[in-house]
Amino acid sequence: MKWWLRIPYPWRLGFGLWLGMRLLLWGLSAFLFYSGVMPLASPFPEAPAALNHGLGGALFGTWLRWDGGFYYLILTQGYTATPTISAFWPLFPLLAKFPVLLGVHPLISLILVSNLGFLAAVIIFIEEVQELFGAQFMIPAGLALITFPGSFFFYAPFPMSLALLLVLLSFRFARQQKWFWASLAGLLSGLTHSTVLPLSIILLIHVLTGWRNHTSKWKWLPLLTPAMPFAGVALFVAWRMNRGFPPLAEMLGSSWGSSLFNPLAALSQLAISIGMGNFMSILKVVIIGIGLAAIFWLFRRKQIALSIYQAGLLIYLVSFTVPNHPLGSFIRYFLLSFPVFMALGVWLQSKRWLGTLSFSFLAAVNLLLCSFYLAWIFVA
C-alpha cells in the first residue's frame, strides 16, 4: 500500500468520498430496481430507453431519466433527433463520443464522463478548500459537496459535473494568473451549460486584481478572460442559428413554458407553491437561505470574489421559472455553488456531533430526491 500513500492526501480523500457516494447511489438504484418498492417504468412512451434488464439495468438503465434522455439522443442520433433537442448544450455528449468509439455503450459512456468529471471536480474542490481555508476543513467541505440535496445529479447522465469541473478549473487558473488556461476552461464551460455565466464575475475580479502588476506588452490579453464563458455560450447559439434552429429563448418558452430573466414572476410563483405545501418549493427556499448565509459569511471572511460569485449565481438562478415548477431546475443548477459547500465545511467542522447530524440529514434528503428521480418524479 506504499503506492497509495504516495498519492497526495487531497486526491486520496477526494477519491474515497466520490467512491463512497457512487457505491451508495448504485446500491439505491439496484434496490429500487430489484425490489419494486417504487415504479421505475417511464410514463413517457417517447422517452429513450437503454439497458433495461439485469445488472446493467440496475446500475445504468435506471439513471436514464429526464434531460439525460436528450443527451443520450444527441449522442446516438445527433441534433436532429427531436425538435426540442437543440436546447441542450454540446460539450458533454461530444466528450461521451470518445468512449463510444472504443465500443462503450452510449449510456455507460455518458455516465462515465459525468462520473469521472465529478471525481476530478471533487479533488480540485478539496485542494481549493485546503489553500483557501485550511486542511482541517477538507473532509467536512468534501462531505458537503457530495451529500448536498441534488448532488446525485453529479453521477447521472447530466452535464453538471463537467460544468462544475470547468468552473473550478477556470477559478483555480485565474487565482494562479494562468490566463490562457483560465480562458480555455471558461470557454469550454460555456459550451457545457449556460448556468456557468456567473463565472465571468469571479474571473473579472481576479483579472482586475492582478492586472496592474503586469508589465508585458500583452498585459491587456487577460482582460478577455472574463468574456470566455459568454463566448462559449455565444458559439453554441451561433451554431444553432447557422443550422436553422429557432432562437433558444423562443424554444424554451414554446416547449417548456420557460420564463427567462423574470425574477418577480419566479419568486411569486415560488411563494404560491409554498402556500400549497409543495415539498420541492420549500426545499428551494431552504437552499436559498443557505446560499444567502454563505454569501454574507464569505464576505465577512474577506473571500470577496467567492461571495460576489455566489451572489451573482443566486440572482441568476432565481430569474428563471417554468409552469408548475417554480425556479425551474434550481436544485440541479445550484450545484455550481461551490463557495456554499466550502462555507458549510467550515461551519460544520468545529462540532463533530453537529457535523455528523447535518451531513446525515443532507445525505438522507439527497437519497430521497434521487429515489424520486429514479422513479420519474421531476426533481427541479
Side-chain angles (χ1 to χ4, degrees):
M1 294 294 292
K2 291 183 178 180
W3 63 270
W4 174 253
L5 296 178
R6 284 196 290 267
I7 298 174
Y9 176 68
W11 293 31
R12 287 182 280 134
L13 175 61
F15 177 76
L17 292 172
W18 170 87
L19 181 62
M21 184 54 70
R22 173 67 279 181
L23 294 177
L24 183 60
L25 292 174
W26 262 339
L28 175 64
S29 64
F31 169 74
L32 295 177
F33 181 80
Y34 287 115
S35 69
V37 171
M38 299 177 71
L40 303 184
S42 172
F44 308 103
E46 71 278 10
L51 300 175
N52 282 335
H53 306 288
L55 188 61
L59 301 184
F60 299 103
T62 53
W63 288 86
L64 187 57
R65 301 289 187 264
W66 301 105
D67 289 5
F70 287 103
Y71 289 108
Y72 181 81
L73 289 175
I74 293 172
L75 180 58
T76 56
Q77 301 180 33
Y79 272 97
T80 58
T82 67
T84 59
I85 206 166
S86 68
F88 294 86
W89 302 80
L91 186 61
F92 175 53
L94 179 63
L95 292 178
K97 281 187 177 293
F98 292 99
V100 169
L101 293 175
L102 299 176
V104 178
H105 189 280
L107 176 56
I108 296 177
S109 181
L110 286 168
I111 293 176
L112 181 66
V113 171
S114 176
N115 282 231
L116 291 181
F118 186 47
L119 172 59
V122 172
I123 292 173
I124 294 171
F125 171 78
I126 289 175
E127 290 181 334
E128 289 300 297
V129 171
Q130 182 181 31
E131 292 184 21
L132 294 173
F133 296 97
Q136 70 271 30
F137 302 113
M138 290 192 296
I139 293 178
L143 287 171
L145 174 61
I146 68 167
T147 62
F148 198 82
S151 64
F152 69 87
F153 278 113
F154 288 133
Y155 295 94
F158 282 70
M160 300 317 299
S161 57
L162 181 61
L164 177 65
L165 171 61
L166 291 169
V167 166
L168 285 169
L169 281 173
S170 189
F171 168 64
R172 163 176 278 193
F173 288 134
R175 284 204 314 110
Q176 298 170 346
Q177 298 190 11
K178 297 178 179 179
W179 303 118
F180 171 80
W181 296 109
S183 298
L184 180 60
L187 178 69
L188 293 176
S189 73
L191 292 168
T192 304
H193 205 274
S194 61
T195 47
V196 305
L197 289 179
L199 169 65
S200 294
I201 300 171
I202 203 168
L203 294 179
L204 178 62
I205 292 172
H206 281 285
V207 166
L208 294 178
T209 300
W211 175 67
R212 295 180 179 179
N213 298 326
H214 290 277
T215 57
S216 168
K217 64 179 181 179
W218 305 107
K219 65 180 294 185
W220 295 95
L221 282 179
L223 294 176
L224 298 175
T225 302
M228 289 300 104
F230 283 89
V233 170
L235 280 175
F236 178 57
V237 171
W239 175 85
R240 292 182 76 259
M241 294 175 60
N242 183 61
R243 293 289 297 271
F245 293 115
L248 186 58
E250 177 184 313
M251 174 173 287
L252 292 173
S254 61
S255 300
W256 291 283
S258 301
S259 179
L260 309 180
F261 303 109
N262 192 351
L264 291 179
L267 293 175
S268 63
Q269 185 182 354
L270 180 66
I272 294 171
S273 181
I274 292 172
M276 298 173 63
N278 184 278
F279 169 73
M280 292 292 179
S281 296
I282 295 171
L283 179 59
K284 289 174 184 178
V285 170
V286 173
I287 292 174
I288 289 173
I290 295 173
L292 290 173
I295 290 168
F296 290 111
W297 180 83
L298 287 164
F299 192 84
R300 290 185 61 187
R301 285 288 297 261
K302 302 189 185 307
Q303 294 291 343
I304 307 300
L306 293 177
S307 177
I308 296 176
Y309 164 80
Q310 187 58 52
L313 179 62
L314 194 57
I315 293 171
Y316 185 76
L317 295 182
V318 300
S319 299
F320 300 87
T321 192
V322 297
N324 302 319
H325 299 290
L327 306 188
S329 298
F330 174 86
I331 292 174
R332 177 170 20 126
Y333 299 152
F334 191 82
L335 296 175
L336 295 183
S337 300
F338 70 93
V340 170
F341 308 136
M342 292 178 173
L344 281 171
V346 177
W347 295 345
L348 299 176
Q349 188 271 343
S350 58
K351 296 183 179 179
R352 181 170 298 181
W353 67 268
L354 179 61
T356 301
L357 184 63
S358 300
F359 291 131
S360 298
F361 178 75
L362 290 174
V365 175
N366 185 47
L367 292 177
L368 177 64
L369 295 179
C370 185
S371 300
F372 291 165
Y373 166 84
L374 296 173
W376 282 99
I377 299 172
F378 188 58
V379 177

